[in-house]
Amino acid sequence: ISYSQPVSDIRLQPLMRDRLVLICHRRSPLADSRSVHWSSLRDRPLVAMTTGTTIRSLMDGVAAMQSIALNIAVEPHQMATALACVEAGFGDAVLPSSGVPAHLPPTLRRRNLVNPILHRDISILTLADYTLSPAAAAFRYLLGSELRRERG
């Protein structure tokens, strides 16, 4: 399972697409907005996933495109830690929608990030010239079925 782009000897089977969203504390100035422009993150304290992650690469890319100086306050390795940091008041977090619980604590708010809207695609990667083992094929089917069920 990966966020990688296709290459000639690798077959990608898309599983899902999720959107980057902003998680902020209810006391954040951004909490009252229905959606948040990336430019609104300028100089705000941010909880950002560590450098090298897909989420951070997307975040850094849009910041560079829009000449936004990011004020990174904390760089957790886990999304659950990022949520805890936001709840503790360290800053706002940019996270993928799939990593955010459907029911946030009452102190947190989820806001869509816009201008631009960023997505990441999650796929299963297999070697193009090989057939999956029966166990691997069953796992791929089960994973796809579960994701379709969750999305309704």
Side-chain angles (χ1 to χ4, degrees), residues 21-32 36-38 40-49 59 70-76 81-95 107-111 113:
V21 297
L22 184 77
I23 304 301
C24 59
H25 197 278
R26 70 176 178 214
R27 292 188 308 259
S28 168
L30 305 176
D32 292 332
V36 174
H37 289 243
W38 281 90
S40 299
L41 302 182
R42 183 183 319 274
D43 300 323
R44 297 258 332 126
L46 294 174
V47 176
M49 300 308 294
M59 190 174 161
L70 298 177
N71 177 15
I72 308 300
V74 183
E75 293 182 281
T81 305
L83 290 170
C85 288
V86 174
E87 194 163 18
F90 295 144
D92 305 322
V94 174
L95 295 173
T107 54
L108 299 181
R109 304 291 182 266
R110 172 186 166 148
R111 300 294 177 250
L113 283 164

Side-chain angles (χ1 to χ4, degrees), residues 1 13-16 122-124 136-152:
I1 300 175
Q13 177 186 349
L15 288 176
M16 63 179 284
I122 299 175
S123 303
I124 291 182
F139 174 75
R140 180 177 64 185
Y141 175 79
L142 180 67
L143 185 59
S145 297
E146 185 63 22
L147 286 170
R148 283 188 295 279
R149 186 185 66 76
E150 282 184 16
R151 287 183 276 178

